[in-house]
Amino acid sequence: MNTTAIFTFLAFLILSLLITFGAARKTKTRSDFYVAGGKINKWQNGFAIAGDTMSAASLLGIVGLALVFGFDMLFYLVCVVLSWGVIVLLFAQRLRNLGKFTLADVLSVRLDPRTVRLMVALTSLAVLLSYLVAQVVAAGTLVEVMFGISYESGVVAVTLLMTVYVLFGGMIATTWVQIVKATLLLLGGIILAFAVLHAYDFDLNSLLAKAAAAHPKGIKVLQPGLLFTDFISIASLTLAFLGGTAGMPHVIMRFFTVPDGKAARASAGIALSLITFFHLLVAIIGFGAIAILVDHSEFSLGGTALVGGDNMAAIHLAQVLGGDVFLGFLSAVIFMTILAVVCGLTLAISATVSHDLFANVFRQGNCSERQEMWINRVTLVCITVVGILLATLLEGQNVAVLVTLALAISASTNFPLLALAMYWRKFTTRGLLAGGIAGLMSSVGLVILSPFIWVNVLKNEAAVFPYAYPTLISMSSSFFFAWLFSVTDRSVRGQTERQLFDAQEFRSLLGTTTADR
Amino acid sequence: MPDDLIKLSDAEYRISQSPGYRSMVRAHRAMSWRLFWLITASVLLFDIASSFAPQLTNVPAIPGALFSVGFAIAFGAIGLIFAVSLYYLHWVNQYRNRIGQDEPPQ
């Protein structure tokens, strides 16, 4: 057990709890709880968004993938950065100008609100739960290695803590915890990348030559092809990130926390810069992990296998290069990272259930803020239980892969609906329903039939769907059915929705002064 | 029309009919399409290049050179998008400033 890690972790825990209880005093209304009253500035939001993206998957998962597959982990890094380019240029400002609390608010500006909220609640819950489980799996693994307690105890600890943060502090606490965590994670990444480069006298060629010499695959570790060998897998991965990030409900909610559309776009730009910088550091750390850990006497189990699994590569690297003190610091930061991300996810899930499903679908707007908040609290407790159960089932899986599966579902459901609703005049509620169902069924179905679930989790011999990710097929099917059912929609309702496109476009470009915050 | 769908106020409606607003919308739509195709083309190029990269780079060489090839393929697309995005933001802001004016932008 690492005492530095425990002390650093406790210090962060106390700091974040102080933030939470401070935020709790400022959280008075529903708007404060869901979107911090729209009072977060662009810099704060930029750091918070970057914090949401720089999750455990980035440092633990991608460095783990680098260790095993080398160059191919760059696909993940590039795709994350590209996805934010799409958000900055095409989505951020329009989202802020159209939305209020959730993704469904944006889509129901001109489409049937009840149908939209029901459909989007289903897709959002599928996406958010998959993403949440990935983070909790990472937390359980980390705690097991760091503190010497069981994986299950780590899972229970992180889910209980997230419940406390969200229950009391809402979006204000979640945002501030993200800001603190993003700063510390950037610092940790800079120190670790610096240490890797320092170990090889700041000579990149020397680092890469050592990586190629140490890795069982030799020079091939510096070339594409160890993880992805076909166009469909690469295209699916790219699409999963490009569309998936823009369709993540907890990311979309962040754009409602700033005062206007201009601040939303600026904050997305700030986040993009921070994310790009951080992922360049991860590339260096990844090759450092190969060069230093593959033949390390203490941590290597032969080949690319490591003590604690490949997710622990960054942690072991920190210990080798920085000793127990840096190991403690980085572990505590990563644990806080996971905690902060799951808080954002939990908030989005509870908002989807209480605001979209309960208040607007089941009660059709006829409920008090107090009733909505009560349902929100009940949802939080349910998420805790579901998170623990699913994370226990998926113990030992690579975190980056788990996150990408969540992104694949998001890219096949929320993203097509959002893009078509904002940019295509002929899109109607009928098309939304058809596209949403097609995207959800094909993405979830193909994920279950893919090697990841069918072989790794369900222990079958061969996968029914041979590719790692389903996005190329599932996203295409969502777009196709949304298009087909929209262009064939001759209903009066459909005509009205098309006529309202101009008003929606006006509001999305210029914003409004009538948002009832 | 259902009550829960979007409605513009009288002032907003007047702005939406002005030549300045309409020209901004046209410019915005055109730029959005250009960006969409640019991103699609970059991604497609990136994917195709990556798919064929194992064959292209499967020659004896120093590790740094191989890495540089891959890195250039990977981050080239991002650089392109960044460069165009700066131009795009400048363009849109120019048009946004003209909202409500009667004269179409030059």
Side-chain angles (χ1 to χ4, degrees):
Chain A
M1 194 176 287
N2 185 315
T3 42
T4 314
I6 293 170
F7 279 116
T8 319
F9 171 70
L10 286 177
F12 289 167
L13 197 65
I14 291 165
L15 175 67
S16 56
L17 283 172
L18 286 174
I19 291 171
T20 301
F21 290 115
R25 284 169 33 198
K26 291 181 183 171
T27 303
K28 294 185 172 63
T29 65
R30 188 177 53 165
S31 173
D32 290 338
F33 186 83
Y34 287 139
V35 291
K39 292 171 190 157
I40 303 293
N41 72 36
K42 62 183 180 184
W43 284 99
Q44 292 165 342
N45 199 41
F47 269 83
I49 291 172
D52 268 327
T53 308
M54 297 180 321
S55 64
S58 305
L59 199 56
L60 297 185
I62 297 179
V63 174
L65 285 176
L67 181 82
V68 182
F69 302 107
F71 179 92
D72 276 3
M73 63 99 179
L74 282 176
F75 288 120
Y76 286 84
L77 301 183
V78 171
C79 290
V80 171
V81 177
L82 272 176
S83 70
W84 276 97
V86 175
I87 294 174
V88 172
L89 299 175
L90 298 175
F91 283 89
Q93 188 160 345
R94 287 174 184 247
L95 278 172
R96 174 59 191 84
N97 286 337
L98 290 174
K100 189 177 169 191
F101 296 148
T102 64
L103 166 64
D105 291 334
V106 178
L107 293 171
S108 57
V109 165
R110 70 180 171 104
L111 305 178
D112 177 38
R114 285 193 76 191
T115 312
V116 165
R117 288 184 194 280
L118 198 58
M119 186 70 247
V120 173
L122 282 176
T123 56
S124 297
L125 288 176
V127 170
L128 290 167
L129 274 174
S130 316
Y131 204 91
L132 179 74
V133 169
Q135 302 297 326
V136 180
V137 166
T141 314
L142 184 69
V143 168
E144 192 178 23
V145 173
M146 282 313 306
F147 303 121
I149 60 173
S150 70
Y151 171 83
E152 288 77 11
S153 307
V155 166
V156 171
V158 77
T159 44
L160 286 180
L161 278 170
M162 87 186 178
T163 310
V164 171
Y165 287 141
V166 179
L167 200 61
F168 293 104
M171 182 56 96
I172 301 174
T174 305
T175 301
W176 276 105
V177 170
Q178 276 293 11
I179 293 168
V180 172
K181 161 245 149 162
T183 311
L184 291 170
L185 190 63
L186 273 170
L187 183 66
I190 290 169
I191 295 171
L192 192 52
F194 182 86
V196 167
L197 290 174
H198 183 258
Y200 292 91
D201 297 325
F202 297 95
D203 180 2
L204 197 61
N205 270 345
S206 165
L207 167 68
L208 297 171
K210 176 64 173 62
H215 200 279
K217 297 284 182 184
I219 193 77
K220 284 186 184 296
V221 80
L222 301 179
Q223 303 170 17
L226 288 185
L227 180 59
F228 301 112
T229 51
D230 61 282
F231 178 75
I232 291 179
S233 294
I234 291 172
S236 285
L237 179 77
T238 317
L239 289 175
F241 275 95
L242 276 185
T245 311
M248 292 303 268
H250 72 296
V251 170
I252 291 171
M253 277 180 83
R254 287 246 167 257
F255 293 114
F256 307 142
T257 65
V258 290
D260 52 40
K262 198 176 171 188
R265 199 183 59 209
S267 63
I270 293 164
L272 174 60
S273 310
L274 294 171
I275 291 163
T276 306
F277 176 65
F278 179 74
H279 284 84
L280 284 170
L281 298 176
V282 171
I284 296 166
I285 297 167
F287 283 102
I290 303 173
I292 294 168
L293 294 178
V294 167
D295 50 7
H296 195 274
S297 57
E298 190 180 345
F299 298 117
S300 176
L301 297 174
T304 55
L306 284 187
V307 175
D310 54 37
N311 284 331
M312 288 295 106
I315 299 292
H316 294 324
L317 193 64
Q319 185 164 21
V320 173
L321 295 173
D324 280 351
V325 175
F326 186 53
L327 168 71
F329 171 78
L330 198 69
S331 306
V333 169
I334 291 174
F335 195 81
M336 285 304 297
T337 297
I338 296 167
L339 208 50
V341 173
V342 294
C343 285
L345 292 166
T346 312
L347 190 66
I349 296 174
S350 58
T352 302
V353 174
S354 58
H355 179 64
D356 292 334
L357 281 182
F358 175 74
N360 286 295
V361 175
F362 299 130
R363 301 294 289 268
Q364 297 184 42
N366 298 317
C367 77
S368 63
E369 281 198 17
R370 197 176 163 187
Q371 285 173 316
E372 192 176 323
M373 287 295 101
W374 190 82
I375 292 294
N376 194 289
R377 263 72 171 164
V378 174
T379 311
L380 276 171
V381 177
C382 297
I383 298 165
T384 311
V385 176
V386 172
I388 292 170
L389 290 176
L390 289 175
T392 309
L393 194 70
L394 292 167
E395 181 182 355
Q397 303 299 331
N398 184 285
V399 183
V401 177
L402 279 171
V403 164
T404 312
L405 292 177
L407 287 170
I409 300 172
S410 169
S412 311
T413 54
N414 291 345
F415 174 72
L417 306 184
L418 194 59
L420 291 171
M422 287 202 295
Y423 282 98
W424 190 39
R425 182 186 297 276
K426 292 179 182 172
F427 189 55
T428 65
T429 302
R430 195 162 162 256
L432 176 133
L433 204 56
I437 291 170
L440 187 62
M441 288 180 66
S442 57
S443 58
V444 174
L446 292 176
V447 162
I448 292 170
L449 297 174
S450 71
F452 181 73
I453 300 285
W454 199 250
V455 177
N456 294 359
V457 179
L458 299 176
K459 307 296 177 195
N460 290 296
E461 280 194 8
V464 180
F465 179 70
Y467 302 104
Y469 304 112
T471 332
L472 190 62
I473 296 165
S474 52
M475 187 200 262
S476 305
S477 70
S478 178
F479 270 115
F480 173 74
F481 282 102
W483 168 80
L484 183 68
F485 280 77
S486 292
V487 294
T488 55
D489 187 356
R490 304 274 180 256
S491 65
V492 176
R493 169 109 208 172
Q495 297 297 334
T496 309
E497 288 168 357
R498 290 182 187 114
Q499 286 167 9
L500 289 173
F501 181 80
D502 286 328
Q504 177 195 280
E505 190 171 43
F506 179 91
R507 195 59 57 76
S508 72
L509 290 172
L510 301 184
T512 178
T513 55
T514 58
D516 54 338
R517 288 190 180 282
Chain B
M1 191 181 294
D3 289 339
D4 46 4
L5 297 180
I6 189 170
K7 286 185 195 69
L8 296 185
S9 66
D10 290 343
E12 286 176 325
Y13 181 77
R14 276 197 300 278
I15 293 173
S16 74
Q17 299 303 310
S18 70
Y21 172 77
R22 289 185 169 193
S23 61
M24 184 200 81
V25 169
R26 277 196 299 275
H28 214 284
R29 284 178 189 163
M31 282 309 291
S32 296
W33 272 112
R34 282 173 208 165
L35 274 172
F36 171 78
W37 288 118
L38 181 80
I39 291 169
T40 307
S42 306
V43 168
L44 207 59
L45 272 174
F46 168 57
D47 284 352
I48 292 170
S50 307
S51 303
F52 291 102
Q55 287 82 36
L56 295 175
T57 55
N58 195 16
V59 288
I62 57 165
L66 280 177
F67 185 77
S68 303
V69 170
F71 211 71
I73 292 170
F75 282 87
I78 295 175
L80 193 62
I81 288 174
F82 275 140
V84 176
S85 68
L86 288 174
Y87 171 67
Y88 166 80
L89 296 179
H90 171 68
W91 174 283
V92 170
N93 281 329
Q94 266 193 329
Y95 277 90
R96 185 170 290 112
N97 293 336
R98 293 179 178 277
I99 294 164
Q101 293 178 9
D102 291 333
E103 292 299 317
Q106 300 302 309

